Amino acid sequence: QQQVRQSPQSLTVWEGETAILNCSYEDSTFNYFPWYQQFPGEGPALLISIRSVSDKKEDGRFTIFFNKREKKLSLHITDSQPGDSATYFCAASGSSGSWQLIFGSGTQLTVMP
Amino acid sequence: ETAVFQTPNYHVTQVGNEVSFNCKQTLGHDTMYWYKQDSKKLLKIMFSYNNKQLIVNETVPRRFSPQSSDKAHLNLRIKSVEPEDSAVYLCASSFTGNAEQFFGPGTRLTVL
């Protein structure tokens, strides 16, 4: 049973476009949702995160939109750059008092110049 | 520099051998983790450990074991590797009770 789902599996956009990466979850007790960015040969790096008390979190070109009722969130990358090409993981935690992270399967983003 | 460090970067070995991977964090965290990332990039938690509690993912085979000397180090030992153990092993750390985890660069294991 996959508790955190991501779509699409892969996404290609042109430089300057907005990339939208989607994530959904099943456990209503999840209350913390980080997004990680991973480049080939490196470990995942925390990019931006949101807590369930908020419906939006912005950091530069990266914005998380969160819909608690529908158990969905999305990461918007505006003005996408070739350097943004990476795999993006949505994760969740907070269920049953555990601080462990449950990761989605990732979205591989390619930004074409 | 504060970060999570892992050695080696790569390791190639044969079925049945024992391997050990090192992880050190200089972030002052008190909880450390090991993850396995497979060829499809799926991330699965293997262990989380602080000085009070070891939590083991029940799906992890017994040949895997974490080894800690202090709260800044958590090594991973694989007693007798199998072909399906080929993967990238990622170490991470956080403060206890805080889900904000920081990852090391990983160790890529290839089992021939």
Side-chain angles (χ1 to χ4, degrees):
Chain A
Q1 182 187 9
Q2 195 169 359
Q3 296 190 58
V4 177
R5 288 192 169 87
Q6 287 187 247
S7 65
Q9 188 173 0
S10 63
L11 176 65
T12 299
V13 299
W14 293 102
E15 183 175 356
E17 291 185 335
T18 297
I20 300 176
L21 289 65
N22 300 304
C23 180
S24 64
Y25 62 97
E26 296 178 3
D27 191 329
S28 59
T29 65
F30 286 154
N31 57 20
Y32 172 70
F33 304 89
W35 284 84
Y36 283 82
Q37 179 189 55
Q38 185 177 28
F39 295 107
E42 298 182 10
L46 181 62
L47 181 65
I48 186 173
S49 64
I50 193 168
R51 297 203 175 269
S52 59
V53 294
S54 301
D55 55 14
K56 181 180 177 181
K57 176 81 172 289
E58 196 170 346
D59 185 358
R61 297 185 294 108
F62 301 90
T63 302
I64 300 174
F65 293 92
F66 179 70
N67 186 321
K68 188 172 183 177
R69 183 179 62 82
E70 295 187 7
K71 297 182 189 173
K72 291 181 178 179
L73 58 158
S74 60
L75 174 68
H76 291 225
I77 306 174
T78 58
D79 189 24
S80 296
Q81 301 297 308
D84 297 331
S85 298
T87 301
Y88 292 80
F89 292 96
C90 171
S93 78
S95 65
S96 305
S98 170
W99 60 85
Q100 293 190 14
L101 285 174
I102 308 297
F103 281 86
S105 55
T107 293
Q108 187 161 347
L109 174 67
T110 302
V111 181
M112 302 293 288
Chain B
E1 182 186 3
T2 56
V4 182
F5 302 93
Q6 290 186 241
T7 58
N9 294 327
Y10 304 92
H11 189 80
V12 181
T13 190
Q14 294 188 330
V15 171
N17 285 349
E18 177 176 320
V19 299
S20 186
F21 303 146
N22 302 313
C23 180
K24 170 187 171 181
Q25 56 91 8
T26 57
L27 295 164
H29 292 156
D30 54 5
T31 299
M32 296 183 71
Y33 311 82
W34 277 102
Y35 287 82
K36 180 180 180 181
Q37 187 170 40
D38 64 21
S39 58
K40 296 181 180 178
K41 297 187 179 176
L42 291 175
L43 276 160
K44 291 288 177 61
I45 181 77
M46 300 177 71
F47 307 99
S48 67
Y49 180 77
N50 62 23
N51 60 0
K52 296 178 183 177
Q53 188 178 23
L54 170 65
I55 300 176
V56 181
N57 185 323
E58 60 188 15
T59 66
V60 174
R62 286 178 168 268
R63 60 181 179 277
F64 289 84
S65 61
Q67 299 174 317
S68 179
S69 56
D70 55 54
K71 70 175 187 177
H73 296 82
L74 185 67
N75 299 333
L76 179 66
R77 175 185 173 222
I78 312 174
K79 206 170 181 181
S80 176
V81 296
E82 300 285 340
E84 61 264 29
D85 298 339
S86 294
V88 175
Y89 292 88
L90 291 158
C91 177
S93 69
S94 74
F95 289 112
T96 297
N98 188 329
E100 189 171 283
Q101 296 181 18
F102 294 83
F103 284 81
T107 294
R108 180 176 294 278
L109 173 65
T110 301
V111 181
L112 302 177

Coordinates of all heavy atoms in Angstrom, one line a residue, chain A residues 8-97:
Chain A
P8 N 3.2 13.6 -12.4 CA 3.5 12.4 -13.2 C 4.8 11.7 -12.8 O 5.6 12.3 -12.0 CB 3.6 13.0 -14.6 CG 4.1 14.4 -14.4 CD 3.5 14.8 -13.1
Q9 N 5.1 10.6 -13.4 CA 6.4 9.9 -13.1 C 7.5 10.7 -13.7 O 8.6 10.8 -13.2 CB 6.3 8.5 -13.7 CG 7.5 7.6 -13.3 CD 7.3 6.2 -13.8 OE1 6.3 5.9 -14.5 NE2 8.3 5.4 -13.6
S10 N 7.3 11.3 -14.9 CA 8.3 12.1 -15.5 C 7.6 13.3 -16.2 O 6.4 13.2 -16.6 CB 9.1 11.4 -16.6 OG 8.3 10.9 -17.6
L11 N 8.3 14.4 -16.3 CA 7.7 15.7 -16.8 C 8.8 16.4 -17.5 O 9.9 16.6 -17.0 CB 7.2 16.5 -15.6 CG 6.6 17.9 -16.0 CD1 5.4 17.8 -16.8 CD2 6.3 18.7 -14.7
T12 N 8.4 16.9 -18.7 CA 9.4 17.7 -19.5 C 8.7 19.1 -19.8 O 7.6 19.1 -20.2 CB 9.7 17.0 -20.8 OG1 10.4 15.8 -20.6 CG2 10.7 17.9 -21.6
V13 N 9.4 20.1 -19.5 CA 8.9 21.5 -19.7 C 10.0 22.3 -20.4 O 11.2 21.9 -20.4 CB 8.5 22.2 -18.5 CG1 7.3 21.5 -17.8 CG2 9.6 22.4 -17.5
W14 N 9.6 23.4 -21.1 CA 10.6 24.3 -21.7 C 11.1 25.3 -20.6 O 10.4 25.6 -19.7 CB 10.0 25.0 -22.9 CG 9.7 24.0 -24.0 CD1 8.5 23.5 -24.4 CD2 10.7 23.5 -24.9 NE1 8.6 22.7 -25.5 CE2 9.9 22.7 -25.8 CE3 12.1 23.6 -25.1 CZ2 10.5 22.0 -26.9 CZ3 12.7 22.9 -26.2 CH2 11.9 22.1 -27.0
E15 N 12.3 25.7 -20.8 CA 12.9 26.8 -20.0 C 11.9 28.0 -19.9 O 11.4 28.4 -21.0 CB 14.2 27.2 -20.5 CG 14.9 28.3 -19.7 CD 16.3 28.6 -20.2 OE1 16.8 28.0 -21.2 OE2 17.0 29.5 -19.6
G16 N 11.6 28.5 -18.7 CA 10.7 29.6 -18.6 C 9.3 29.2 -18.2 O 8.5 30.0 -17.7
E17 N 8.9 27.9 -18.5 CA 7.6 27.5 -18.2 C 7.4 27.1 -16.7 O 8.4 27.1 -16.0 CB 7.2 26.2 -19.0 CG 7.0 26.6 -20.5 CD 6.6 25.4 -21.3 OE1 6.8 24.2 -20.9 OE2 6.0 25.6 -22.4
T18 N 6.2 26.9 -16.3 CA 5.9 26.5 -14.9 C 5.7 25.0 -14.9 O 4.9 24.4 -15.6 CB 4.7 27.2 -14.3 OG1 4.9 28.6 -14.3 CG2 4.4 26.6 -13.0
A19 N 6.5 24.3 -14.1 CA 6.4 22.9 -13.9 C 5.5 22.6 -12.7 O 5.6 23.3 -11.6 CB 7.7 22.2 -13.7
I20 N 4.5 21.7 -12.8 CA 3.6 21.4 -11.7 C 3.8 19.9 -11.4 O 3.5 19.0 -12.3 CB 2.2 21.7 -12.1 CG1 2.0 23.2 -12.4 CG2 1.2 21.3 -10.9 CD1 0.7 23.6 -12.9
L21 N 4.2 19.6 -10.2 CA 4.4 18.2 -9.7 C 3.3 18.0 -8.7 O 3.1 18.8 -7.7 CB 5.8 18.1 -9.1 CG 7.0 18.1 -10.1 CD1 7.1 19.4 -10.8 CD2 8.2 17.7 -9.3
N22 N 2.7 16.8 -8.8 CA 1.5 16.5 -7.9 C 1.9 15.4 -6.9 O 2.7 14.5 -7.2 CB 0.3 16.1 -8.7 CG -0.1 17.1 -9.7 OD1 -0.4 18.3 -9.3 ND2 -0.1 16.8 -11.0
C23 N 1.2 15.5 -5.8 CA 1.4 14.5 -4.7 C 0.0 14.3 -4.0 O -0.7 15.3 -3.8 CB 2.4 15.1 -3.8 SG 2.8 14.0 -2.4
S24 N -0.2 13.1 -3.6 CA -1.4 12.9 -2.8 C -1.1 11.9 -1.7 O -0.1 11.1 -1.8 CB -2.6 12.3 -3.6 OG -2.2 11.1 -4.2
Y25 N -1.9 11.9 -0.6 CA -1.6 11.0 0.5 C -2.8 10.4 1.0 O -3.9 10.9 0.8 CB -0.8 11.7 1.6 CG -1.5 12.9 2.2 CD1 -2.2 12.7 3.4 CD2 -1.5 14.1 1.6 CE1 -2.9 13.8 4.0 CE2 -2.2 15.2 2.1 CZ -2.8 15.0 3.3 OH -3.5 16.1 3.9
E26 N -2.7 9.3 1.9 CA -3.9 8.6 2.4 C -4.1 8.9 3.8 O -5.3 8.9 4.3 CB -3.7 7.1 2.1 CG -3.6 6.8 0.6 CD -3.4 5.3 0.3 OE1 -3.4 4.5 1.3 OE2 -3.3 5.0 -0.8
D27 N -3.0 9.0 4.6 CA -3.2 9.1 6.1 C -3.5 10.5 6.5 O -2.7 11.4 6.4 CB -1.9 8.6 6.7 CG -2.0 8.4 8.2 OD1 -2.8 9.1 8.8 OD2 -1.3 7.5 8.7
S28 N -4.7 10.7 7.0 CA -5.1 12.0 7.4 C -4.4 12.6 8.6 O -4.5 13.8 9.0 CB -6.6 12.0 7.7 OG -6.9 11.1 8.8
T29 N -3.6 11.8 9.3 CA -2.8 12.3 10.4 C -1.4 12.8 10.0 O -0.7 13.4 10.8 CB -2.5 11.2 11.5 OG1 -1.7 10.1 10.9 CG2 -3.8 10.5 11.9
F30 N -1.1 12.7 8.7 CA 0.2 13.3 8.2 C 0.0 14.8 8.4 O -1.0 15.4 8.1 CB 0.4 13.0 6.7 CG 0.9 11.6 6.5 CD1 0.6 11.0 5.2 CD2 1.6 10.9 7.4 CE1 1.0 9.7 5.0 CE2 2.0 9.6 7.1 CZ 1.8 9.0 5.9
N31 N 1.1 15.5 8.9 CA 1.0 16.9 9.1 C 2.2 17.7 8.6 O 2.3 18.9 8.8 CB 0.7 17.2 10.6 CG 1.7 16.6 11.5 OD1 2.8 16.3 11.1 ND2 1.4 16.5 12.7
Y32 N 3.2 17.0 8.1 CA 4.4 17.7 7.6 C 4.7 17.1 6.2 O 4.8 15.9 6.1 CB 5.5 17.5 8.6 CG 6.9 17.9 8.1 CD1 7.1 19.3 8.0 CD2 7.9 17.0 7.8 CE1 8.4 19.7 7.6 CE2 9.1 17.4 7.4 CZ 9.4 18.8 7.3 OH 10.6 19.2 6.8
F33 N 5.0 18.0 5.3 CA 5.2 17.5 3.9 C 6.4 18.2 3.3 O 6.3 19.4 2.8 CB 3.9 17.8 3.0 CG 2.7 17.2 3.6 CD1 1.9 17.9 4.6 CD2 2.3 15.9 3.2 CE1 0.7 17.3 5.1 CE2 1.1 15.3 3.8 CZ 0.4 16.0 4.7
P34 N 7.5 17.6 3.3 CA 8.7 18.2 2.6 C 8.8 17.7 1.2 O 8.3 16.6 0.8 CB 9.9 17.6 3.5 CG 9.4 16.3 3.9 CD 7.9 16.4 4.1
W35 N 9.4 18.5 0.4 CA 9.8 18.1 -1.0 C 11.3 18.1 -1.0 O 12.0 19.0 -0.6 CB 9.3 19.1 -2.0 CG 7.8 19.0 -2.3 CD1 6.8 19.6 -1.6 CD2 7.2 18.3 -3.4 NE1 5.6 19.3 -2.1 CE2 5.8 18.5 -3.2 CE3 7.6 17.6 -4.4 CZ2 4.8 17.9 -4.1 CZ3 6.7 17.0 -5.3 CH2 5.3 17.2 -5.2
Y36 N 11.8 17.0 -1.6 CA 13.2 16.9 -1.8 C 13.6 16.9 -3.2 O 12.9 16.4 -4.1 CB 13.7 15.6 -1.1 CG 13.8 15.6 0.4 CD1 12.7 15.4 1.2 CD2 15.0 15.8 1.0 CE1 12.8 15.4 2.6 CE2 15.1 15.8 2.4 CZ 14.0 15.6 3.2 OH 14.1 15.6 4.5
Q37 N 14.8 17.4 -3.5 CA 15.3 17.5 -4.9 C 16.6 16.6 -4.9 O 17.4 16.8 -4.1 CB 15.7 19.0 -5.2 CG 16.2 19.2 -6.6 CD 16.7 20.6 -6.7 OE1 17.5 21.1 -5.9 NE2 16.2 21.4 -7.7
Q38 N 16.6 15.8 -5.9 CA 17.8 14.9 -6.0 C 18.4 14.9 -7.4 O 17.7 14.6 -8.4 CB 17.4 13.4 -5.7 CG 18.6 12.5 -5.6 CD 18.3 11.1 -5.2 OE1 17.2 10.6 -5.4 NE2 19.2 10.4 -4.6
F39 N 19.7 15.3 -7.5 CA 20.4 15.3 -8.7 C 21.1 13.9 -8.8 O 21.4 13.3 -7.8 CB 21.4 16.4 -8.8 CG 20.8 17.8 -8.8 CD1 20.8 18.6 -7.7 CD2 20.2 18.2 -9.9 CE1 20.2 19.8 -7.7 CE2 19.6 19.5 -10.0 CZ 19.6 20.3 -8.9
P40 N 21.5 13.5 -10.0 CA 22.2 12.2 -10.2 C 23.5 12.1 -9.4 O 24.2 13.1 -9.4 CB 22.4 12.1 -11.7 CG 21.3 13.0 -12.3 CD 21.1 14.1 -11.3
G41 N 23.7 11.0 -8.7 CA 24.9 10.9 -7.9 C 24.9 11.6 -6.6 O 25.9 11.6 -5.9
E42 N 23.8 12.2 -6.2 CA 23.8 12.9 -4.9 C 22.6 12.4 -4.1 O 21.7 11.7 -4.6 CB 23.6 14.4 -5.2 CG 24.7 15.1 -6.0 CD 24.5 16.6 -6.1 OE1 23.6 17.1 -5.5 OE2 25.3 17.2 -6.9
G43 N 22.6 12.8 -2.8 CA 21.5 12.4 -2.0 C 20.4 13.5 -2.1 O 20.6 14.6 -2.6
P44 N 19.2 13.1 -1.7 CA 18.1 14.1 -1.7 C 18.4 15.3 -0.8 O 18.9 15.1 0.3 CB 16.9 13.3 -1.2 CG 17.3 11.9 -1.3 CD 18.8 11.8 -1.1
A45 N 18.0 16.5 -1.3 CA 18.2 17.7 -0.6 C 16.9 18.3 -0.3 O 16.1 18.5 -1.2 CB 19.1 18.6 -1.3
L46 N 16.7 18.7 0.9 CA 15.4 19.4 1.3 C 15.3 20.7 0.5 O 16.1 21.6 0.6 CB 15.3 19.6 2.8 CG 14.1 20.3 3.3 CD1 12.9 19.4 3.1 CD2 14.2 20.6 4.8
L47 N 14.1 20.8 -0.2 CA 13.9 22.0 -1.1 C 13.0 23.0 -0.4 O 13.2 24.1 -0.3 CB 13.3 21.5 -2.4 CG 13.0 22.5 -3.5 CD1 14.3 23.2 -4.0 CD2 12.3 21.9 -4.6
I48 N 11.8 22.5 0.0 CA 10.8 23.3 0.6 C 9.8 22.4 1.3 O 9.7 21.2 1.0 CB 10.1 24.1 -0.5 CG1 9.1 25.1 0.1 CG2 9.4 23.2 -1.5 CD1 8.5 26.1 -0.9
S49 N 9.2 22.9 2.4 CA 8.2 22.0 3.1 C 7.1 22.8 3.6 O 7.1 24.1 3.6 CB 8.9 21.4 4.3 OG 9.4 22.4 5.2
I50 N 6.0 22.1 4.0 CA 4.8 22.8 4.4 C 4.1 22.0 5.5 O 4.3 20.7 5.5 CB 3.8 23.0 3.2 CG1 2.7 24.0 3.7 CG2 3.2 21.7 2.8 CD1 1.8 24.4 2.5
R51 N 3.5 22.6 6.4 CA 2.8 21.9 7.5 C 1.3 22.1 7.2 O 0.8 23.0 6.5 CB 3.1 22.5 8.9 CG 4.5 22.3 9.2 CD 4.8 22.4 10.7 NE 6.2 22.0 11.0 CZ 6.7 20.8 11.2 NH1 5.9 19.8 11.2 NH2 8.0 20.6 11.4
S52 N 0.5 21.1 7.7 CA -0.9 21.0 7.3 C -1.8 22.2 7.8 O -2.9 22.3 7.4 CB -1.5 19.7 7.8 OG -1.4 19.6 9.2
V53 N -1.2 23.0 8.6 CA -2.0 24.2 9.0 C -2.0 25.3 8.0 O -2.7 26.3 8.1 CB -1.4 24.8 10.4 CG1 -1.7 23.8 11.5 CG2 0.0 25.1 10.3
S54 N -1.1 25.2 7.0 CA -1.0 26.2 5.9 C -1.5 25.6 4.6 O -1.6 24.4 4.4 CB 0.5 26.6 5.7 OG 1.0 27.1 6.9
D55 N -1.9 26.5 3.7 CA -2.4 26.0 2.4 C -1.4 26.5 1.3 O -1.6 26.1 0.1 CB -3.8 26.5 2.1 CG -4.0 28.0 2.2 OD1 -3.0 28.7 2.2 OD2 -5.1 28.4 2.2
K56 N -0.4 27.2 1.7 CA 0.5 27.7 0.6 C 1.9 28.0 1.3 O 1.9 28.6 2.4 CB 0.0 28.9 -0.1 CG 0.9 29.4 -1.2 CD 0.2 30.6 -1.8 CE 1.1 31.3 -2.9 NZ 0.5 32.5 -3.5
K57 N 2.9 27.6 0.6 CA 4.3 28.0 1.1 C 5.1 28.4 -0.1 O 5.2 27.6 -1.1 CB 4.9 26.8 1.8 CG 6.3 27.0 2.3 CD 6.4 27.8 3.6 CE 7.8 27.8 4.2 NZ 8.2 26.6 4.7
E58 N 5.7 29.5 0.0 CA 6.5 30.0 -1.2 C 8.0 30.2 -0.8 O 8.2 30.7 0.3 CB 5.9 31.3 -1.7 CG 6.3 31.8 -3.0 CD 5.4 32.9 -3.5 OE1 4.3 33.2 -2.9 OE2 5.8 33.6 -4.5
D59 N 8.8 29.9 -1.7 CA 10.3 30.1 -1.5 C 10.9 30.4 -2.9 O 11.2 29.4 -3.6 CB 10.9 29.0 -0.8 CG 12.4 29.2 -0.5 OD1 12.9 30.3 -0.8 OD2 13.0 28.4 0.1
G60 N 11.0 31.6 -3.2 CA 11.5 32.0 -4.5 C 10.6 31.5 -5.7 O 9.4 31.8 -5.7
R61 N 11.2 30.7 -6.5 CA 10.4 30.1 -7.7 C 9.7 28.9 -7.3 O 8.9 28.3 -8.1 CB 11.4 29.8 -8.8 CG 12.1 31.0 -9.4 CD 13.0 30.7 -10.6 NE 14.1 29.8 -10.3 CZ 14.2 28.5 -10.6 NH1 13.2 27.9 -11.3 NH2 15.2 27.8 -10.3
F62 N 9.8 28.4 -6.1 CA 9.1 27.2 -5.7 C 8.0 27.5 -4.7 O 8.1 28.2 -3.7 CB 10.2 26.3 -5.0 CG 11.3 25.9 -5.8 CD1 12.5 26.7 -5.8 CD2 11.3 24.8 -6.6 CE1 13.6 26.3 -6.6 CE2 12.4 24.4 -7.4 CZ 13.5 25.2 -7.4
T63 N 6.8 26.9 -5.0 CA 5.6 27.1 -4.2 C 4.9 25.8 -4.0 O 4.7 25.0 -5.0 CB 4.6 28.1 -4.9 OG1 5.3 29.3 -5.1 CG2 3.4 28.4 -4.0
I64 N 4.5 25.5 -2.8 CA 3.7 24.4 -2.5 C 2.3 24.9 -2.3 O 2.0 25.8 -1.5 CB 4.1 23.6 -1.2 CG1 5.6 23.1 -1.3 CG2 3.2 22.5 -0.9 CD1 6.1 22.6 0.0
F65 N 1.3 24.2 -2.9 CA -0.1 24.4 -2.7 C -0.7 23.2 -2.0 O -0.4 22.0 -2.5 CB -0.9 24.7 -4.0 CG -0.5 26.0 -4.7 CD1 0.5 26.0 -5.6 CD2 -1.1 27.1 -4.3 CE1 0.9 27.2 -6.2 CE2 -0.8 28.3 -4.9 CZ 0.2 28.4 -5.9
F66 N -1.4 23.4 -0.9 CA -1.8 22.2 -0.1 C -3.3 22.3 0.1 O -3.9 23.3 0.5 CB -1.1 22.3 1.3 CG -1.5 21.2 2.2 CD1 -1.1 19.9 2.0 CD2 -2.2 21.4 3.4 CE1 -1.4 18.9 2.8 CE2 -2.6 20.4 4.2 CZ -2.1 19.1 4.0
N67 N -4.0 21.1 -0.2 CA -5.4 21.0 0.0 C -5.7 19.9 1.0 O -5.6 18.7 0.6 CB -6.1 20.7 -1.3 CG -7.6 20.7 -1.2 OD1 -8.2 20.2 -0.3 ND2 -8.2 21.2 -2.3
K68 N -5.9 20.2 2.2 CA -6.0 19.2 3.3 C -7.3 18.4 3.1 O -7.3 17.2 3.3 CB -6.1 19.9 4.6 CG -6.1 19.0 5.8 CD -6.0 19.8 7.1 CE -5.9 18.8 8.3 NZ -5.7 19.6 9.6
R69 N -8.4 19.0 2.6 CA -9.6 18.3 2.5 C -9.5 17.2 1.4 O -10.0 16.0 1.6 CB -10.7 19.2 2.1 CG -12.1 18.6 1.9 CD -13.2 19.6 1.6 NE -12.9 20.3 0.3 CZ -13.2 19.7 -0.9 NH1 -13.8 18.6 -1.0 NH2 -12.9 20.4 -2.0
E70 N -8.8 17.5 0.4 CA -8.6 16.5 -0.7 C -7.3 15.6 -0.5 O -7.1 14.7 -1.3 CB -8.6 17.2 -2.1 CG -9.9 17.8 -2.4 CD -9.9 18.4 -3.9 OE1 -8.9 18.1 -4.6 OE2 -10.8 19.1 -4.2
K71 N -6.5 15.9 0.5 CA -5.3 15.2 0.7 C -4.4 15.3 -0.5 O -3.8 14.3 -0.9 CB -5.5 13.8 1.1 CG -6.3 13.6 2.4 CD -6.5 12.1 2.8 CE -7.5 12.0 3.9 NZ -7.8 10.6 4.2
K72 N -4.2 16.5 -1.0 CA -3.4 16.7 -2.2 C -2.5 17.9 -2.0 O -2.9 18.9 -1.3 CB -4.3 16.9 -3.4 CG -5.0 15.7 -3.9 CD -5.8 16.0 -5.1 CE -6.6 14.8 -5.6 NZ -7.4 15.0 -6.8
L73 N -1.4 17.8 -2.6 CA -0.5 19.0 -2.6 C 0.3 19.0 -4.0 O 0.3 18.0 -4.6 CB 0.5 19.0 -1.5 CG 1.4 17.9 -1.2 CD1 2.6 18.4 -0.4 CD2 0.8 16.8 -0.5
S74 N 0.8 20.1 -4.3 CA 1.5 20.2 -5.6 C 2.7 21.2 -5.4 O 2.6 22.1 -4.6 CB 0.6 20.7 -6.7 OG 0.0 22.0 -6.4
L75 N 3.7 20.9 -6.1 CA 4.9 21.8 -6.1 C 4.9 22.5 -7.5 O 4.9 21.8 -8.5 CB 6.1 21.0 -5.9 CG 7.5 21.8 -6.1 CD1 7.6 22.8 -4.9 CD2 8.6 20.8 -6.1
H76 N 4.9 23.8 -7.5 CA 5.0 24.6 -8.7 C 6.3 25.2 -8.8 O 6.8 25.9 -7.8 CB 3.9 25.7 -8.7 CG 2.5 25.2 -8.8 ND1 1.6 25.8 -9.6 CD2 1.9 24.2 -8.2 CE1 0.4 25.1 -9.5 NE2 0.6 24.1 -8.7
I77 N 7.0 25.0 -9.9 CA 8.3 25.6 -10.2 C 8.1 26.6 -11.3 O 7.9 26.2 -12.5 CB 9.4 24.6 -10.5 CG1 9.4 23.5 -9.5 CG2 10.7 25.2 -10.7 CD1 10.3 22.3 -9.8
T78 N 8.1 27.9 -11.0 CA 7.9 28.9 -12.0 C 9.3 29.3 -12.7 O 10.3 29.1 -12.1 CB 7.3 30.2 -11.4 OG1 8.2 30.7 -10.4 CG2 5.9 29.9 -10.8
D79 N 9.2 29.8 -13.9 CA 10.4 30.2 -14.6 C 11.4 29.0 -14.6 O 12.6 29.2 -14.2 CB 10.9 31.5 -14.1 CG 12.1 32.0 -14.9 OD1 12.1 31.7 -16.2 OD2 12.9 32.7 -14.4
S80 N 11.0 27.8 -15.0 CA 11.9 26.6 -14.8 C 13.2 26.9 -15.6 O 13.2 27.5 -16.7 CB 11.2 25.4 -15.4 OG 10.0 25.1 -14.6
Q81 N 14.3 26.4 -15.0 CA 15.6 26.5 -15.6 C 16.2 25.1 -15.8 O 15.8 24.1 -15.1 CB 16.5 27.3 -14.6 CG 16.0 28.7 -14.2 CD 16.0 29.6 -15.5 OE1 17.0 29.6 -16.2 NE2 14.9 30.2 -15.7
P82 N 17.1 25.0 -16.8 CA 17.7 23.6 -17.0 C 18.3 23.1 -15.8 O 18.4 21.9 -15.6 CB 18.7 24.0 -18.1 CG 18.1 25.1 -18.9 CD 17.4 25.9 -17.8
G83 N 18.9 23.9 -14.9 CA 19.4 23.5 -13.6 C 18.5 22.9 -12.7 O 18.8 22.3 -11.6
D84 N 17.2 23.1 -13.0 CA 16.1 22.5 -12.1 C 15.9 21.0 -12.5 O 15.1 20.3 -11.8 CB 14.8 23.2 -12.2 CG 14.9 24.7 -11.8 OD1 15.7 24.9 -10.9 OD2 14.1 25.5 -12.3
S85 N 16.5 20.5 -13.5 CA 16.3 19.2 -14.0 C 16.8 18.2 -12.9 O 18.0 18.2 -12.6 CB 17.0 18.9 -15.3 OG 16.5 19.7 -16.3
A86 N 15.9 17.4 -12.3 CA 16.3 16.6 -11.2 C 15.1 15.7 -10.9 O 14.0 15.8 -11.6 CB 16.6 17.4 -10.0
T87 N 15.2 14.8 -9.9 CA 14.1 14.0 -9.4 C 13.5 14.7 -8.2 O 14.3 15.1 -7.3 CB 14.5 12.6 -9.2 OG1 15.0 12.0 -10.4 CG2 13.3 11.8 -8.7
Y88 N 12.2 14.9 -8.1 CA 11.6 15.5 -7.0 C 10.8 14.5 -6.2 O 9.9 13.9 -6.8 CB 10.8 16.7 -7.4 CG 11.6 17.8 -8.0 CD1 12.1 17.8 -9.3 CD2 12.0 18.9 -7.2 CE1 12.9 18.8 -9.8 CE2 12.7 20.0 -7.8 CZ 13.2 19.9 -9.1 OH 14.0 20.9 -9.6
F89 N 11.0 14.5 -4.9 CA 10.3 13.6 -4.1 C 9.4 14.3 -3.1 O 9.8 15.3 -2.5 CB 11.2 12.7 -3.2 CG 12.0 11.7 -4.0 CD1 13.3 12.0 -4.4 CD2 11.5 10.5 -4.4 CE1 14.1 11.1 -5.2 CE2 12.2 9.6 -5.1 CZ 13.5 9.9 -5.5
C90 N 8.1 13.9 -3.0 CA 7.2 14.4 -2.0 C 7.3 13.4 -0.9 O 7.4 12.2 -1.1 CB 5.8 14.4 -2.6 SG 4.5 14.7 -1.5
A91 N 7.2 13.9 0.3 CA 7.3 13.0 1.5 C 6.2 13.5 2.5 O 5.7 14.6 2.4 CB 8.7 13.0 2.1
A92 N 5.9 12.6 3.5 CA 5.0 13.0 4.5 C 5.4 12.3 5.8 O 6.0 11.3 5.9 CB 3.6 12.5 4.1
S93 N 5.0 13.0 6.9 CA 5.2 12.4 8.2 C 4.2 13.0 9.2 O 3.4 13.9 8.9 CB 6.6 12.7 8.7 OG 6.7 14.0 9.3
G94 N 4.2 12.4 10.4 CA 3.3 12.9 11.4 C 2.3 11.9 11.8 O 1.6 12.1 12.8
S95 N 2.2 10.7 11.1 CA 1.1 9.8 11.5 C 1.5 9.0 12.8 O 2.7 8.6 12.9 CB 0.9 8.8 10.4 OG 2.0 8.0 10.2
S96 N 0.6 8.9 13.6 CA 0.7 8.1 14.8 C 1.9 8.5 15.7 O 2.6 7.6 16.3 CB 0.8 6.6 14.5 OG -0.3 6.2 13.7
G97 N 2.3 9.7 15.7 CA 3.4 10.2 16.5 C 4.7 9.9 16.0 O 5.8 10.2 16.6

